[in-house]
Amino acid sequence: RAFVSGQFDEAGLTDDVTGLANGDYLGLKEWEEFYAKDYKFAGLVEGNFYNSKGEVTEAWKKLQEDISKALKDKDKKDVEKQMFPPCNMEWAKEKGTRFWCTKKSGGVQRSWVGVPR
């Protein structure tokens, strides 16, 4: 839990990852991919996710479901972002609010620049 929460105290140093935000489940997936790519597999740890026979537990299955839901939610948001791309906003007491778009505002490629209407 601490890898995604940043809570490296006794409460955060746990393998209970229930109830995390979608972004945190995506963070766990990124950590898993990082270790799978950069480290040699040495074995499994018996505990919340694997039993003494090396079989996955219900907690592991639930984690995979939560990661899958988080990935689907991210995909949905990415589609919405393409349909309704975010632009830039600035506020100053003297000038008020100003909106504008560039070709890459919000990390979305677009063929136009200007002010949203």
Side-chain angles (χ1 to χ4, degrees), residues 32 48-50 55-67:
E32 176 192 31
N48 195 28
F49 300 111
Y50 297 97
E55 301 165 333
V56 298
T57 64
E58 290 302 314
W60 184 90
K61 292 175 186 175
K62 172 74 169 106
L63 173 60
Q64 299 312 306
E65 288 174 18
D66 291 336
I67 289 172

Side-chain angles (χ1 to χ4, degrees), residues 29-83:
K29 181 73 175 158
E30 289 172 7
W31 275 109
E32 176 192 31
E33 291 167 355
F34 167 78
Y35 282 109
K37 180 178 75 103
D38 293 348
Y39 289 84
K40 182 180 175 185
F41 179 78
L44 301 170
V45 176
E46 180 183 353
N48 195 28
F49 300 111
Y50 297 97
N51 66 21
S52 61
K53 297 176 184 174
E55 301 165 333
V56 298
T57 64
E58 290 302 314
W60 184 90
K61 292 175 186 175
K62 172 74 169 106
L63 173 60
Q64 299 312 306
E65 288 174 18
D66 291 336
I67 289 172
S68 179
K69 287 178 189 175
L71 288 167
K72 287 177 185 170
D73 185 55
K74 180 184 178 302
D75 290 344
K76 179 182 172 191
K77 287 181 179 179
D78 288 347
V79 168
E80 289 174 359
K81 194 174 180 181
Q82 289 295 323
M83 290 175 61

